[in-house]
Amino acid sequence: MPINNGQLPFEKPLVELREKINELQKFTQEKSIDLSDEIATLEERAKRLEHEIYGNLTTWQKVQIARHPSRPTTMDYIRHIFTDFMELHGDRLYGDDPAIVGGIAKLDGVPVTVIGHERGKDTKDKVARNFGLPHPEGYRKALRLMQQADKFGRPIICFIDTQGAHPGVEAEERGQSEAIARNLREMAGFQVPIVCVVTGEGGSGGALAISVGNRLLMLEHAYYSVISPEGAAAILWRDAAKAKEAAEALKITAQDLKRLDIIDQVIPEPKGGAHKDPVFQAKQIKEAIWTALEPLFQMDRDQLVYDRHEKFEKIGVYHTVD
């Protein structure tokens, strides 16, 4: 859990050191006493400590960063990366789900369809968006927008950031499993480039439902998993408190998944996480999206489908039996 000022528990030593530096700087200004040598020494110590903390993050610490309350959301990235965004609403079956946002935008003048999970910013917004846990109508809205993109030949950009699909009874009554399964099937066959970016949490089928793409990118401190660490711990040990152990065992970090050839690129984050510099982070994501899109633009429609199928067929190790 975050501590004061949105800082995470493992960041406490660095926070305290920074506070000490600020106190000395303030004291210098107020008393006109030269403490520059002492401040320089502490600054050097802070740099070393920062490198030590953020250069050796555990899986659980990365999960905490991915869940940071100030971490940029899909709407933040849309504002910084795209222009002329026009949000579209509703699934034409039940209603609109604000936990998934989507619409038409331009990426350096190129028309694209953008879709992503949206957690919200303040408490009121988070409640309205169900903390980024979509209902079936959210996935059906996403599918409607992707079908439109496929019809008009627009690339699809998806931002993934959810603990999972909403698990409530009402979601199941409205066909949650069917909605997710339909998205998986339909995304596999779209004849336009699809680039997916895991920006925070990528949990279970709720994340997979909009991440069947030609290229899958992940932010450095994001995670992507079949189940949350707490969920896995509850199943394996009947104790959600063992989430740290579960996180390590699941191999859910961007670095783990790159080694396993499940994702295509790890996008660097500022030290401490994307929330430290959202504008820089958006720039990094934009560059990575273009890097992924450019070779896809050279493929025809059938090749794009084949490329996507081939990507997923390569995941994992299996043997055929005659």
Side-chain angles (χ1 to χ4, degrees), residues 63-257:
V63 170
Q64 290 178 291
I65 293 176
R67 293 173 173 174
H68 196 284
S70 298
R71 195 168 177 86
T73 67
T74 293
M75 288 303 298
D76 291 322
Y77 291 129
I78 287 175
R79 281 190 288 268
H80 288 302
I81 296 173
F82 305 94
T83 59
D84 303 310
F85 177 65
M86 180 174 65
E87 186 174 357
L88 301 176
H89 298 273
D91 66 344
R92 296 185 178 178
L93 289 171
Y94 179 84
D96 187 50
D97 183 359
I100 285 187
V101 297
I104 303 168
K106 288 184 178 178
L107 177 65
D108 290 337
V110 178
V112 297
T113 289
V114 186
I115 298 163
H117 300 98
E118 177 58 39
R119 294 170 173 265
K121 304 298 287 185
D122 56 29
T123 301
K124 183 178 179 180
D125 193 25
K126 289 178 185 291
V127 170
R129 296 184 184 277
N130 199 33
F131 298 88
L133 277 64
H135 288 76
E137 52 270 24
Y139 294 116
R140 293 185 177 119
K141 173 172 67 173
L143 179 59
R144 180 172 74 86
L145 300 185
M146 288 188 280
Q147 289 171 332
Q148 182 193 74
D150 189 56
K151 178 179 179 180
F152 292 103
R154 289 192 299 268
I156 299 169
I157 313 296
C158 293
F159 292 97
I160 294 94
D161 184 16
T162 183
Q163 291 184 7
H166 182 70
V169 173
E170 69 278 14
E172 295 299 335
E173 288 175 343
R174 297 201 294 270
Q176 185 74 287
S177 300
E178 186 275 340
I180 292 172
R182 184 181 294 270
N183 277 27
L184 303 183
R185 185 187 70 184
E186 295 298 318
M187 288 188 78
F190 288 139
Q191 297 180 314
V192 293
I194 304 177
V195 176
C196 305
V197 186
V198 183
T199 60
E201 295 187 86
S204 193
L208 188 61
I210 61 168
S211 60
V212 181
N214 296 88
R215 300 292 180 268
L216 179 59
L217 320 176
M218 279 184 72
L219 267 62
E220 182 181 356
H221 301 318
Y223 82 83
Y224 189 55
S225 175
V226 68
I227 192 171
S228 71
E230 292 87 348
I235 293 171
L236 294 175
W237 296 292
R238 299 185 183 276
D239 184 2
K242 290 186 176 291
K244 293 181 183 180
E245 291 87 338
E248 292 289 346
L250 285 167
K251 304 299 180 187
I252 59 178
T253 68
Q255 296 74 21
D256 290 328
L257 298 176

